[in-house]
Structure formats: structure tokens, C-alpha cells
Amino acid sequence: MRIFLLIISLSVLSDYAASQDTKNAYAQFKIRTISTQEQAREIDAKIKSKKGIISAHADYITSTYFCTFKTEASYTEAHFVKWFKKLGYEIDCFNSGISGDGKMIAPQGLKDC
């Protein structure tokens, strides 16, 4: 019985460790003409509804946006331009990559873009 529990425990830990090795993608950019918290909430709700989006955060104070998504979603700048255009916004200074790649731009850098 102990060996069975040990095997199950090792299997679960192995699966957990493998899932932690999976890197997520990110996108960040400046949003033109966002000025209220309500607008930010509306953007976040809409983008979070997209398949593969893990987190989304529009900051109306700095006019910046950041989200993480599963790499298999393969979202590009064109996707975000289209989505934000439908919501009535333009975006600039698009940056994306894989989490941990060291290429993320600080929010102040995007704000001043």
C-alpha cells in the first residue's frame, strides 16, 4: 500500500513539475484614449473572454495594457489591434514575448512611448 501511495505521489509531483515548465506568452502596449476605470474594466472583461487568455489588466492611469496567455493561442499584434478597434481604442508600442524572456517593458516605458 505504501509503495502504491509513493508511486501515485511521484506521478502527481511529476505532472505538476512538468506543468510548471510551460511558459506563457505575454502582450503589452499603450492604449490610446483610455481615461476611466470603467473603460479599463470593460476592456479586461472582453479580453479575458478570449480563449487562452490567462490574465488581463488595462491601467487607465498609465494608459497601458498587459496580459498573459497560453502560447498555443498564438495571439499576435493583429489580434489585439482588431479586438481593441472593436472596443473603440487604438494601441501603440506593442511588445510581446514569452514569460521570462527579459524583454518586458516597464509600465513607465510604455506610458512614455
Side-chain angles (χ1 to χ4, degrees), residues 11-62:
S11 175
V12 168
L13 287 173
S14 175
D15 289 347
Y16 175 77
S19 72
Q20 296 303 303
D21 290 339
T22 303
K23 299 279 186 168
N24 294 316
Y26 66 87
Q28 59 179 158
F29 45 86
K30 183 172 184 166
I31 307 170
R32 297 280 175 201
T33 68
I34 183 174
S35 58
T36 69
Q37 186 174 18
E38 185 57 38
Q39 289 172 321
R41 285 183 185 143
E42 178 185 310
I43 290 168
D44 289 344
K46 185 64 176 176
I47 302 303
K48 283 180 184 176
S49 72
K50 304 292 183 187
K51 185 176 182 176
I53 297 291
I54 298 166
S55 68
H57 181 71
D59 185 342
Y60 72 98
I61 295 170
T62 61

Side-chain angles (χ1 to χ4, degrees), residues 21-26 51-54 68-76 97-99:
D21 290 339
T22 303
K23 299 279 186 168
N24 294 316
Y26 66 87
K51 185 176 182 176
I53 297 291
I54 298 166
T68 57
F69 53 93
K70 295 179 180 180
T71 54
E72 56 269 13
S74 301
Y75 292 132
T76 65
I98 304 298
S99 298

